[in-house]
Amino acid sequence: MNAKPEVVTFGCRLNAYESEVMRRHAEDAGLNDIIIVNTCAVTAEATRQARQSIRRMKRDRPDTPIVVTGCAAQIDPAQFAKMDEVTTVIGNAEKLEAKSFEGLNLTHAERVQVNDIFSVKETAGHLIDGFGERSRAFVQIQNGCNHRCTFCIIPYGRGNSRSTGIGEVVSQIKSLVQQGYQEVVLTGVDITSYGEDLPGNPTLGVLVQKILMLVPDLPRLRISSIDSIEVDEPLMDAIIGDQRVMPHLHLSLQAGDNMILKRMKRRHMREDAIDFCQTVSKARPEMVYGADIIAGFPTETDAMFENSLKLVEECDLTWLHVFPYSEREGTPAAKIPNQLPKAVRKERAALLRAAGERKVQKLMQTSIGNTAHVLIERAGANGLLTGHSEQFIPVSVQGDASMTGLVGRIVPVTLTAIDGMAMTAMPLKNAGNLKRYTA
């Protein structure tokens, strides 16, 4: 019997965060020999991989109950409930409630425990004290989405947007800093819609300003995926004016052609994205950008795709998340007659990834010899320390075997060379002086 429940996570960072919430609920409920599969529905391939993994896990551990949850399970619980390998299916709201695990009878479990996600009105208040390597903590400030992009099934898995109150978020971050966390990441499904459901309608910018003001000892704050068109003045002021906000923004762009953006029902045009990046970079030249981009959306011509490729250059995009378009039943885009061949979608996705990788290489090439401050996330037995710089460049720092205590600390280094899609570095101080960062 396993000592602790196993949680298998597919999809986004928010899913990873919520997996840790479930792990703790399951542990508290004494559910030790159990597998929880947290599914993703962003593409049909993600759902297929989850089903494939469930079958494999059951073959490997035939006596272990398997509980399935997540977006794919919320949207279509029947597809998992009819699998012989699955013990029970739990909805996206239910998975975050301790009572769902406290009362879970795995011998005679109710086959499907999934309610209407759009009936969930409470704020997303499931905050935990970080997870994984005790270095970077994620704080969920929002869940759900009120927008209805034509390609996206996620609102049907997450429900409408609901936010966590400013006081609760600030209190949690204060607690994390007191525990020694050096970096906090604000996360959610659509965080630039933060506060629309709260009294007074505070914005994400207001929340960020409050965090920076009320938690002065927080060294680093990261903001996860945002819609640049929804960045208000307080958020812009924080991004360009406070060095504690890390110079790395991930943008929800999805495409670089105006007609495709219109057919996706996005809220911005390509010119808006370019203007945002140019404005921020002018005020803060060290800023780097990642982006979500979909390749091969229905009706996308070669010329339209070229506009997405050009956007990589025009916005100076580095860390790309590229998805070949995937039809999701129930979305308007799936009904568009001109669906591109999957081979074309994959080819275009590969071209976008290659363009992004070239921009990463350029960023790293221009960073050689620069000073960076690396948040150490792991320490190997050989003294190799690994983490990320302010610009989210993966960095390996050569220390010695005595420096495992540096995990969770921010260490100043000189970036020395490129190693694939990462960089190597040497401490600014000699090894003896470097040990002081463990204090």
Side-chain angles (χ1 to χ4, degrees):
M1 179 177 288
N2 285 356
K4 292 185 177 181
E6 178 182 352
V7 184
V8 180
T9 306
F10 294 87
C12 64
R13 227 171 232 178
L14 182 57
N15 250 17
Y17 172 96
E18 292 174 342
S19 287
E20 189 63 20
V21 176
M22 288 189 287
R23 186 193 311 278
R24 296 189 183 188
H25 286 335
E27 288 176 357
D28 292 344
L31 300 175
N32 295 323
D33 194 25
I34 182 177
I35 299 173
I36 302 170
V37 180
N38 197 7
T39 63
C40 172
V42 71
T43 64
E45 177 63 16
T47 303
R48 186 194 70 79
Q49 288 177 0
R51 290 168 58 87
Q52 186 179 55
S53 294
I54 290 166
R55 295 190 181 99
R56 183 176 63 252
M57 287 183 283
K58 195 64 175 179
R59 286 195 300 269
D60 294 341
R61 295 166 60 183
D63 298 327
T64 302
I66 297 179
V67 175
V68 179
T69 186
C71 289
Q74 176 69 45
I75 293 166
D76 186 5
Q79 69 170 314
F80 295 101
K82 68 184 180 183
M83 294 178 68
D84 293 337
E85 297 86 354
V86 174
T87 303
T88 189
V89 182
I90 296 178
N92 252 349
E94 291 77 14
K95 76 180 183 183
L96 298 176
E97 298 177 358
K99 65 182 181 181
S100 299
F101 297 88
E102 292 166 358
L104 192 59
N105 184 334
L106 294 172
T107 307
H108 300 93
E110 185 180 346
R111 192 70 170 161
V112 176
Q113 301 177 41
V114 179
N115 293 322
D116 178 10
I117 195 68
F118 291 105
S119 69
V120 180
K121 305 297 182 185
E122 74 274 9
T123 59
H126 306 282
L127 304 180
I128 60 172
D129 297 337
F131 61 89
E133 299 287 351
R134 295 186 66 83
S135 54
R136 178 181 296 109
F138 296 81
V139 174
Q140 180 182 354
I141 64 169
Q142 179 272 343
N143 204 340
C145 185
N146 292 338
H147 303 300
R148 296 295 181 265
C149 298
T150 59
F151 57 83
C152 188
I153 197 71
I154 297 305
Y156 301 94
R158 291 285 178 177
N160 289 323
S161 181
R162 48 208 188 273
S163 312
T164 305
I166 289 177
E168 191 171 356
V169 174
V170 169
S171 177
Q172 176 69 9
I173 293 175
K174 283 183 178 179
S175 174
L176 291 166
V177 171
Q178 289 169 1
Q179 294 173 55
Y181 283 93
Q182 302 290 294
E183 182 173 302
V184 166
V185 183
L186 303 182
T187 188
V189 174
D190 179 30
I191 67 170
T192 37
S193 70
Y194 176 85
E196 292 175 358
D197 58 317
L198 295 177
N201 306 123
T203 63
L204 176 62
V206 171
L207 173 65
V208 169
Q209 292 280 8
K210 288 287 187 181
I211 292 168
L212 294 169
M213 179 177 64
L214 297 175
V215 197
D217 294 334
L218 172 66
R220 290 162 63 141
L221 180 66
R222 284 196 191 273
I223 303 169
S224 62
S225 183
I226 60 173
D227 267 330
S228 59
I229 196 68
E230 295 183 340
V231 172
D232 63 351
E233 186 175 344
L235 183 54
M236 180 66 87
D237 287 346
I239 288 171
I240 65 178
D242 198 308
Q243 293 298 307
R244 291 184 294 158
V245 177
M246 291 295 93
H248 165 246
L249 296 174
H250 192 83
L251 308 178
S252 179
L253 297 181
Q254 310 306 340
D257 180 82
N258 284 341
M259 181 56 70
I260 293 298
L261 288 166
K262 183 177 180 180
R263 288 170 181 166
M264 287 179 166
K265 206 174 177 181
R266 298 295 294 166
R267 294 167 299 286
H268 70 275
M269 296 286 99
R270 71 188 319 273
E271 293 80 11
D272 297 319
I274 295 168
D275 180 65
F276 173 81
C277 293
Q278 290 180 346
T279 299
V280 173
S281 294
K282 184 177 180 180
R284 197 170 176 187
E286 74 273 23
M287 185 65 70
V288 299
Y289 308 95
D292 297 324
I293 302 182
I294 294 172
F297 187 81
T299 75
E300 183 184 74
T301 63
D302 288 343
M304 292 172 177
F305 172 67
E306 283 297 321
N307 281 332
S308 287
L309 269 181
K310 290 176 185 175
L311 197 68
V312 176
E313 290 293 333
E314 292 164 324
C315 286
D316 205 18
L317 304 176
T318 51
W319 313 109
L320 297 186
H321 292 171
V322 178
F323 304 90
Y325 169 73
S326 177
E327 300 95 332
R328 305 303 283 138
E329 185 179 351
T331 61
K335 300 175 183 177
I336 296 176
N338 189 7
Q339 302 283 327
L340 274 62
K342 290 185 178 180
V344 172
R345 304 178 205 177
K346 289 182 179 179
E347 179 184 4
R348 290 179 178 177
L351 290 170
L352 278 168
R353 291 191 188 104
E357 289 171 4
R358 287 193 295 271
K359 297 298 286 186
V360 171
Q361 292 294 317
K362 181 179 177 181
L363 168 67
M364 294 192 297
Q365 187 65 46
T366 58
S367 299
I368 293 174
N370 289 353
T371 297
H373 293 82
V374 176
L375 176 63
I376 303 300
E377 297 160 34
R378 294 177 182 82
N382 59 356
L384 190 67
L385 310 171
T386 57
H388 286 81
S389 73
E390 299 96 324
Q391 296 174 314
F392 213 64
I393 298 173
V395 179
S396 297
V397 185
Q398 188 59 57
D400 63 43
S402 69
M403 294 182 181
T404 56
L406 283 170
V407 171
R409 299 293 173 179
I410 297 171
V411 174
V413 302
T414 299
L415 300 171
T416 54
I418 298 171
D419 183 13
M421 293 295 286
M423 295 193 74
T424 58
M426 292 298 292
L428 275 182
K429 308 293 183 181
N430 61 43
N433 287 338
L434 185 59
K435 292 177 185 177
R436 69 187 178 90
Y437 289 95
T438 64

